[in-house]
Amino acid sequence: MNKAGTPSGGGAGSGPTASAAAAAAQKQRALLQRLDNDISNIVDSFSVLVSVSRVNEPPVRNSQEAFLMEIRASKLVQSADSLLKLVSELKQTAIFSGFASLNENVDHRIQAFDQEAETSDKLLERIGEEAATSLKELESHYYSSVARNFVHE
């Protein structure tokens, strides 16, 4: 019996549910980082496209700016495509995994097991007290009985 009131043998911080939660958190961080990178790439590419889109007199400068615009437009399209893939991946995760309901179910089960452990601890404590009381009664009967005197004589 654990004196601290928590169930022994591991708790909410160990086991397969903890590793699944850690993997989910890691995946969420990776997806958020991808999202930030893609959005910053889109914003950077768009701002460069707008700044380069001025019409200048020298034809060489125009061809350089046109080439830079093509590169930035390509990068903008790649970032947008990456965002679309990210959205698709998030939809698949939401459909197939259901992390929120899974985590809610795990938390519910942990609470149920904690309550069961608390009930078991109280029951064991009550049984121990009853056993101690019964043992004291038996000892008093034994030491006060006549049969005890015959055994030692």
Side-chain angles (χ1 to χ4, degrees), residues 23-89:
Q26 179 65 26
K27 184 171 183 169
Q28 182 181 14
R29 282 192 296 273
L31 291 174
L32 288 174
Q33 185 177 10
R34 260 180 64 191
L35 178 71
D36 288 341
N37 288 341
D38 289 342
I39 289 176
S40 66
N41 283 338
I42 288 174
V43 169
D44 290 342
S45 296
F46 186 75
S47 64
V48 169
L49 278 174
V50 169
S51 68
V52 173
S53 64
R54 295 180 308 231
V55 177
N56 291 329
E57 298 277 330
V60 173
R61 181 120 176 128
N62 281 341
S63 64
Q64 288 175 344
E65 289 175 351
F67 180 68
L68 185 60
M69 286 175 62
E70 286 181 31
I71 291 173
R72 287 302 180 152
S74 174
K75 191 171 183 177
L76 189 129
V77 169
Q78 287 175 349
S79 296
D81 185 50
S82 178
L83 278 176
L84 287 174
K85 288 178 184 177
L86 178 66
V87 168
S88 174
E89 193 175 323

Side-chain angles (χ1 to χ4, degrees), residues 63-135:
S63 64
Q64 288 175 344
E65 289 175 351
F67 180 68
L68 185 60
M69 286 175 62
E70 286 181 31
I71 291 173
R72 287 302 180 152
S74 174
K75 191 171 183 177
L76 189 129
V77 169
Q78 287 175 349
S79 296
D81 185 50
S82 178
L83 278 176
L84 287 174
K85 288 178 184 177
L86 178 66
V87 168
S88 174
E89 193 175 323
L90 287 172
K91 285 180 181 178
Q92 288 176 355
T93 301
I95 290 171
F96 295 123
S97 298
F99 284 122
S101 63
L102 177 66
N103 288 339
E104 184 178 318
N105 188 25
V106 167
D107 290 341
H108 203 345
R109 296 282 299 194
I110 287 171
Q111 288 176 350
F113 286 136
D114 286 345
Q115 288 175 351
E116 188 69 31
E118 186 177 321
T119 303
S120 298
D121 286 345
K122 288 178 182 178
L123 179 64
L124 285 173
E125 185 177 330
R126 188 176 54 89
I127 289 172
E129 289 172 356
E130 288 176 5
T133 304
S134 297
L135 185 60

Side-chain angles (χ1 to χ4, degrees), residues 14-22:
S14 63
T17 56
S19 62

